[in-house]
Amino acid sequence: GQNIDQPTEMTATEGAIVQINCTYQTSGFNGLFWYQQHAGEAPTFLSYNVLDGLEEKGRFSSFLSRSKGYSYLLLKELQMKDSASYLCAVKDSNYQLIWGAGTKLIIKP
Amino acid sequence: GAVVSQHPSRVICKSGTSVKIECRSLDFQATTMFWYRQFPKQSLMLMATSNEGSKATYEQGVEKDKFLINHASLTLSTLTVTSAHPEDSSFYICSAQIGDGGTEAFFGQGTRLTVV
């Protein structure tokens, strides 16, 4: 079956750095996505990785290792508004998005 | 980025009635649209995939007669929850993509359905 694992919840301090990991086992791979979702709102796109390596976009970076079936989202200089759920999703061989359960990130002052 | 508009954002209906949710791609043609539901503190659960001009493909366990999907044009898909019951109360989200190999999915704002 297809499976995406990420931690259920993480806590970090304002101004610090946090890394949210995601491991996946899917039938085929056509890219990995990270989305941010605030409670009661739709997900918003953060990043897309299809090749191995690190993609940096401002305070957020995303890393992919296809051989290990592994990705992480790195958030720097954390702000209170970063408190949200972070969803990892993989497009399988049918270009269907397979979603992880999401990681709830709690930022403390 | 592309814009997907979902309407209504919130709806309260009585048990036994039907509710229609619209999902529109405003500035692009969406060959494929997806309908998700999300229960509190849980991830997105794909309900069905709809392609313009053809029948929707429903995920296992999703009743096609209860959740009617119509993708009549390249810019509009609708989800109708028929004979709604309190257990259908959930957050429903649509998304659209451009072509098969398109990268990101573009999401509507979501619809909070409460059945009383």
Side-chain angles (χ1 to χ4, degrees), chain A residues 64-81:
Chain A
L64 173 68
S65 169
R66 288 172 295 170
S67 62
K68 295 181 179 178
Y70 167 71
S71 172
Y72 67 72
L73 179 69
L74 191 71
L75 293 77
K76 303 176 184 176
E77 301 170 17
L78 286 170
Q79 302 174 9
M80 298 303 294
K81 67 178 183 179

PDB file of all heavy atoms in Angstrom, chain A residues 64-81:
ATOM      1  N   LEU A  64      14.870  16.732  -0.488  1.00  0.00           N
ATOM      2  CA  LEU A  64      14.367  15.447  -0.970  1.00  0.00           C
ATOM      3  C   LEU A  64      15.506  14.472  -1.234  1.00  0.00           C
ATOM      4  O   LEU A  64      16.519  14.855  -1.832  1.00  0.00           O
ATOM      5  CB  LEU A  64      13.577  15.639  -2.271  1.00  0.00           C
ATOM      6  CG  LEU A  64      13.121  14.352  -2.976  1.00  0.00           C
ATOM      7  CD1 LEU A  64      12.061  13.632  -2.145  1.00  0.00           C
ATOM      8  CD2 LEU A  64      12.582  14.662  -4.368  1.00  0.00           C
ATOM      9  N   SER A  65      15.307  13.235  -0.800  1.00  0.00           N
ATOM     10  CA  SER A  65      16.170  12.126  -1.177  1.00  0.00           C
ATOM     11  C   SER A  65      15.260  11.016  -1.692  1.00  0.00           C
ATOM     12  O   SER A  65      14.576  10.344  -0.913  1.00  0.00           O
ATOM     13  CB  SER A  65      16.988  11.620   0.013  1.00  0.00           C
ATOM     14  OG  SER A  65      17.633  10.388  -0.329  1.00  0.00           O
ATOM     15  N   ARG A  66      15.245  10.842  -2.993  1.00  0.00           N
ATOM     16  CA  ARG A  66      14.347   9.840  -3.585  1.00  0.00           C
ATOM     17  C   ARG A  66      14.783   8.423  -3.239  1.00  0.00           C
ATOM     18  O   ARG A  66      13.964   7.532  -3.031  1.00  0.00           O
ATOM     19  CB  ARG A  66      14.292  10.015  -5.104  1.00  0.00           C
ATOM     20  CG  ARG A  66      13.519  11.258  -5.539  1.00  0.00           C
ATOM     21  CD  ARG A  66      13.665  11.498  -7.019  1.00  0.00           C
ATOM     22  NE  ARG A  66      15.051  11.806  -7.367  1.00  0.00           N
ATOM     23  CZ  ARG A  66      15.501  11.874  -8.619  1.00  0.00           C
ATOM     24  NH1 ARG A  66      14.691  11.662  -9.641  1.00  0.00           N
ATOM     25  NH2 ARG A  66      16.769  12.167  -8.855  1.00  0.00           N
ATOM     26  N   SER A  67      16.090   8.197  -3.158  1.00  0.00           N
ATOM     27  CA  SER A  67      16.573   6.844  -2.852  1.00  0.00           C
ATOM     28  C   SER A  67      16.167   6.421  -1.444  1.00  0.00           C
ATOM     29  O   SER A  67      15.949   5.233  -1.180  1.00  0.00           O
ATOM     30  CB  SER A  67      18.085   6.769  -3.008  1.00  0.00           C
ATOM     31  OG  SER A  67      18.728   7.640  -2.097  1.00  0.00           O
ATOM     32  N   LYS A  68      16.048   7.375  -0.547  1.00  0.00           N
ATOM     33  CA  LYS A  68      15.670   7.071   0.828  1.00  0.00           C
ATOM     34  C   LYS A  68      14.174   7.258   1.077  1.00  0.00           C
ATOM     35  O   LYS A  68      13.694   6.947   2.175  1.00  0.00           O
ATOM     36  CB  LYS A  68      16.456   7.953   1.804  1.00  0.00           C
ATOM     37  CG  LYS A  68      17.955   7.685   1.799  1.00  0.00           C
ATOM     38  CD  LYS A  68      18.676   8.565   2.812  1.00  0.00           C
ATOM     39  CE  LYS A  68      20.168   8.258   2.792  1.00  0.00           C
ATOM     40  NZ  LYS A  68      20.934   9.128   3.740  1.00  0.00           N
ATOM     41  N   GLY A  69      13.463   7.764   0.097  1.00  0.00           N
ATOM     42  CA  GLY A  69      12.036   8.023   0.307  1.00  0.00           C
ATOM     43  C   GLY A  69      11.830   8.993   1.457  1.00  0.00           C
ATOM     44  O   GLY A  69      10.985   8.784   2.336  1.00  0.00           O
ATOM     45  N   TYR A  70      12.576  10.083   1.418  1.00  0.00           N
ATOM     46  CA  TYR A  70      12.646  10.976   2.580  1.00  0.00           C
ATOM     47  C   TYR A  70      12.680  12.427   2.143  1.00  0.00           C
ATOM     48  O   TYR A  70      13.325  12.792   1.149  1.00  0.00           O
ATOM     49  CB  TYR A  70      13.908  10.631   3.379  1.00  0.00           C
ATOM     50  CG  TYR A  70      14.308  11.625   4.437  1.00  0.00           C
ATOM     51  CD1 TYR A  70      13.565  11.773   5.601  1.00  0.00           C
ATOM     52  CD2 TYR A  70      15.460  12.404   4.274  1.00  0.00           C
ATOM     53  CE1 TYR A  70      13.947  12.683   6.578  1.00  0.00           C
ATOM     54  CE2 TYR A  70      15.844  13.314   5.248  1.00  0.00           C
ATOM     55  CZ  TYR A  70      15.093  13.441   6.395  1.00  0.00           C
ATOM     56  OH  TYR A  70      15.470  14.332   7.357  1.00  0.00           O
ATOM     57  N   SER A  71      11.975  13.239   2.905  1.00  0.00           N
ATOM     58  CA  SER A  71      11.998  14.681   2.691  1.00  0.00           C
ATOM     59  C   SER A  71      11.927  15.376   4.044  1.00  0.00           C
ATOM     60  O   SER A  71      11.483  14.792   5.030  1.00  0.00           O
ATOM     61  CB  SER A  71      10.802  15.100   1.835  1.00  0.00           C
ATOM     62  OG  SER A  71      10.679  16.518   1.760  1.00  0.00           O
ATOM     63  N   TYR A  72      12.387  16.596   4.073  1.00  0.00           N
ATOM     64  CA  TYR A  72      12.123  17.425   5.245  1.00  0.00           C
ATOM     65  C   TYR A  72      11.826  18.845   4.830  1.00  0.00           C
ATOM     66  O   TYR A  72      12.267  19.313   3.779  1.00  0.00           O
ATOM     67  CB  TYR A  72      13.263  17.368   6.275  1.00  0.00           C
ATOM     68  CG  TYR A  72      14.585  17.987   5.863  1.00  0.00           C
ATOM     69  CD1 TYR A  72      14.756  19.360   5.770  1.00  0.00           C
ATOM     70  CD2 TYR A  72      15.687  17.168   5.596  1.00  0.00           C
ATOM     71  CE1 TYR A  72      15.977  19.914   5.406  1.00  0.00           C
ATOM     72  CE2 TYR A  72      16.913  17.721   5.242  1.00  0.00           C
ATOM     73  CZ  TYR A  72      17.047  19.088   5.148  1.00  0.00           C
ATOM     74  OH  TYR A  72      18.260  19.624   4.787  1.00  0.00           O
ATOM     75  N   LEU A  73      11.073  19.505   5.690  1.00  0.00           N
ATOM     76  CA  LEU A  73      10.772  20.929   5.544  1.00  0.00           C
ATOM     77  C   LEU A  73      11.474  21.644   6.681  1.00  0.00           C
ATOM     78  O   LEU A  73      11.306  21.283   7.849  1.00  0.00           O
ATOM     79  CB  LEU A  73       9.268  21.176   5.617  1.00  0.00           C
ATOM     80  CG  LEU A  73       8.803  22.627   5.506  1.00  0.00           C
ATOM     81  CD1 LEU A  73       9.044  23.143   4.086  1.00  0.00           C
ATOM     82  CD2 LEU A  73       7.329  22.750   5.873  1.00  0.00           C
ATOM     83  N   LEU A  74      12.281  22.618   6.346  1.00  0.00           N
ATOM     84  CA  LEU A  74      13.045  23.361   7.335  1.00  0.00           C
ATOM     85  C   LEU A  74      12.486  24.774   7.430  1.00  0.00           C
ATOM     86  O   LEU A  74      12.393  25.479   6.418  1.00  0.00           O
ATOM     87  CB  LEU A  74      14.526  23.401   6.935  1.00  0.00           C
ATOM     88  CG  LEU A  74      15.508  23.918   7.968  1.00  0.00           C
ATOM     89  CD1 LEU A  74      15.655  22.899   9.102  1.00  0.00           C
ATOM     90  CD2 LEU A  74      16.871  24.180   7.340  1.00  0.00           C
ATOM     91  N   LEU A  75      12.112  25.170   8.618  1.00  0.00           N
ATOM     92  CA  LEU A  75      11.592  26.507   8.847  1.00  0.00           C
ATOM     93  C   LEU A  75      12.564  27.273   9.742  1.00  0.00           C
ATOM     94  O   LEU A  75      12.873  26.847  10.843  1.00  0.00           O
ATOM     95  CB  LEU A  75      10.217  26.466   9.512  1.00  0.00           C
ATOM     96  CG  LEU A  75       9.038  25.900   8.726  1.00  0.00           C
ATOM     97  CD1 LEU A  75       9.069  24.373   8.673  1.00  0.00           C
ATOM     98  CD2 LEU A  75       7.733  26.383   9.299  1.00  0.00           C
ATOM     99  N   LYS A  76      13.027  28.416   9.256  1.00  0.00           N
ATOM    100  CA  LYS A  76      13.974  29.218  10.010  1.00  0.00           C
ATOM    101  C   LYS A  76      13.298  30.457  10.572  1.00  0.00           C
ATOM    102  O   LYS A  76      12.240  30.874  10.101  1.00  0.00           O
ATOM    103  CB  LYS A  76      15.127  29.651   9.102  1.00  0.00           C
ATOM    104  CG  LYS A  76      15.877  28.525   8.426  1.00  0.00           C
ATOM    105  CD  LYS A  76      16.939  29.077   7.475  1.00  0.00           C
ATOM    106  CE  LYS A  76      17.624  27.958   6.711  1.00  0.00           C
ATOM    107  NZ  LYS A  76      18.587  28.489   5.707  1.00  0.00           N
ATOM    108  N   GLU A  77      13.950  31.046  11.573  1.00  0.00           N
ATOM    109  CA  GLU A  77      13.460  32.301  12.158  1.00  0.00           C
ATOM    110  C   GLU A  77      11.958  32.228  12.405  1.00  0.00           C
ATOM    111  O   GLU A  77      11.170  33.052  11.925  1.00  0.00           O
ATOM    112  CB  GLU A  77      13.781  33.476  11.224  1.00  0.00           C
ATOM    113  CG  GLU A  77      15.266  33.636  10.942  1.00  0.00           C
ATOM    114  CD  GLU A  77      15.532  34.645   9.825  1.00  0.00           C
ATOM    115  OE1 GLU A  77      14.624  35.444   9.497  1.00  0.00           O
ATOM    116  OE2 GLU A  77      16.629  34.600   9.255  1.00  0.00           O
ATOM    117  N   LEU A  78      11.573  31.241  13.151  1.00  0.00           N
ATOM    118  CA  LEU A  78      10.162  30.951  13.359  1.00  0.00           C
ATOM    119  C   LEU A  78       9.401  32.157  13.896  1.00  0.00           C
ATOM    120  O   LEU A  78       9.877  32.889  14.775  1.00  0.00           O
ATOM    121  CB  LEU A  78       9.998  29.778  14.311  1.00  0.00           C
ATOM    122  CG  LEU A  78      10.325  28.404  13.728  1.00  0.00           C
ATOM    123  CD1 LEU A  78      10.360  27.347  14.830  1.00  0.00           C
ATOM    124  CD2 LEU A  78       9.322  28.028  12.652  1.00  0.00           C
ATOM    125  N   GLN A  79       8.194  32.315  13.349  1.00  0.00           N
ATOM    126  CA  GLN A  79       7.300  33.368  13.800  1.00  0.00           C
ATOM    127  C   GLN A  79       6.023  32.719  14.324  1.00  0.00           C
ATOM    128  O   GLN A  79       5.692  31.586  13.955  1.00  0.00           O
ATOM    129  CB  GLN A  79       6.985  34.317  12.638  1.00  0.00           C
ATOM    130  CG  GLN A  79       8.228  34.958  12.032  1.00  0.00           C
ATOM    131  CD  GLN A  79       7.922  35.778  10.793  1.00  0.00           C
ATOM    132  OE1 GLN A  79       6.760  36.035  10.448  1.00  0.00           O
ATOM    133  NE2 GLN A  79       8.973  36.219  10.106  1.00  0.00           N
ATOM    134  N   MET A  80       5.313  33.457  15.161  1.00  0.00           N
ATOM    135  CA  MET A  80       4.095  32.899  15.752  1.00  0.00           C
ATOM    136  C   MET A  80       3.106  32.477  14.665  1.00  0.00           C
ATOM    137  O   MET A  80       2.396  31.485  14.816  1.00  0.00           O
ATOM    138  CB  MET A  80       3.448  33.896  16.701  1.00  0.00           C
ATOM    139  CG  MET A  80       4.321  34.274  17.903  1.00  0.00           C
ATOM    140  SD  MET A  80       4.817  32.835  18.884  1.00  0.00           S
ATOM    141  CE  MET A  80       3.232  32.310  19.530  1.00  0.00           C
ATOM    142  N   LYS A  81       3.091  33.222  13.559  1.00  0.00           N
ATOM    143  CA  LYS A  81       2.142  32.906  12.485  1.00  0.00           C
ATOM    144  C   LYS A  81       2.462  31.586  11.777  1.00  0.00           C
ATOM    145  O   LYS A  81       1.659  31.084  10.986  1.00  0.00           O
ATOM    146  CB  LYS A  81       2.124  34.032  11.450  1.00  0.00           C
ATOM    147  CG  LYS A  81       3.432  34.177  10.673  1.00  0.00           C
ATOM    148  CD  LYS A  81       3.323  35.290   9.633  1.00  0.00           C
ATOM    149  CE  LYS A  81       4.604  35.390   8.817  1.00  0.00           C
ATOM    150  NZ  LYS A  81       4.530  36.444   7.779  1.00  0.00           N
TER     151      LYS A  81
END
